[in-house]
Amino acid sequence: MRKLKVTEMNRLTVDEFKDAEKLPLTVVLDDVRSMYNVGSVLRSCDAFRVEAVILCGITATPPHPEIHKTALGAEDSVAWRHAGSALDAVRELQSRGVTVMAVEQCEGSTMLDTFRPDPARSYAVVLGNEVKGVSQAVVDACDGCLEIPQYGTKHSLNVSVTAGIVVWHFAASRIAEAK
């Protein structure tokens, strides 16, 4: 087996990415403190052609060297915007008919491995602050809560790892539905 060279991967240009069909998913970051996490989330969203990212509250926005270090240019390809608060973003998305799910450990949450997105709907997922998670007010405003099953001794995952897992689940569900 031989590793592919970057030139052999047939990646989209930024302009081609912007014109390409997107996964009907918006990722909302609720007061994420680390710019490295912001960059990593943007990079994962680029990998799966996520529709948009909303950076809320204290979440930093590009351009910034720390975001670019992990985003590697995804801040230029992925559509992103800033919102004053995640609660404002959730309400705005819902007003457009988007189903908004918090990714958090909650009473009555749906385990991600059993969740099947409705192919006729657009979704948004809210990912929380590295210490406090998704704020309770935002959880209360969401249409539901998704939880990643965990089997070890820790009770949480890094927000950028969570983003990768959740975005992959939505993308994989879309691919499976297309078959």
Side-chain angles (χ1 to χ4, degrees), residues 4-173:
L4 293 175
K5 296 176 185 173
V6 172
T7 56
E8 296 174 299
M9 293 184 193
N10 299 317
R11 298 293 184 197
L12 300 175
T13 66
V14 170
D15 288 335
E16 290 168 336
F17 181 96
K18 289 181 179 185
D19 291 338
E21 183 179 350
K22 303 295 187 297
L23 180 66
L25 178 68
T26 298
V27 173
V28 178
L29 298 183
D30 182 10
D31 287 335
V32 171
R33 298 177 309 166
S34 166
M35 287 187 252
Y36 297 122
N37 282 335
V38 173
S40 292
V41 170
L42 286 166
R43 190 165 160 191
S44 292
C45 289
D46 173 277
F48 299 106
R49 270 196 251 154
V50 165
E51 191 171 300
V53 175
I54 305 176
L55 309 169
C56 303
I58 66 165
T59 306
T61 61
H64 195 284
E66 287 181 25
I67 293 173
H68 180 73
K69 184 174 184 172
T70 52
L72 296 177
E75 69 274 32
D76 299 324
S77 56
V78 176
W80 64 266
R81 65 182 173 89
H82 185 266
S85 74
L87 190 56
D88 291 341
V90 167
R91 289 180 176 147
E92 183 264 325
L93 288 162
Q94 289 170 326
S95 75
R96 293 189 331 208
V98 175
T99 301
V100 183
M101 308 291 284
V103 180
E104 190 58 83
Q105 297 163 333
C106 296
E107 292 175 352
S109 62
T110 301
M111 290 298 167
L112 186 64
D113 60 330
T114 64
F115 177 70
R116 300 291 170 257
D118 179 343
R121 292 182 127 155
S122 290
Y123 287 89
V125 291
V126 182
L127 307 173
N129 174 278
E130 293 88 342
V131 175
K132 298 176 183 178
V134 179
S135 72
Q136 186 63 56
V138 172
V139 168
D140 291 343
C142 286
D143 300 303
C145 189
L146 297 173
E147 184 176 337
I148 298 171
Q150 298 176 53
Y151 306 102
T153 62
K154 302 303 172 200
H155 65 275
S156 66
L157 296 166
N158 177 279
V159 65
S160 68
V161 172
T162 297
I165 292 168
V166 172
V167 169
W168 164 248
H169 181 81
F170 276 84
S173 296

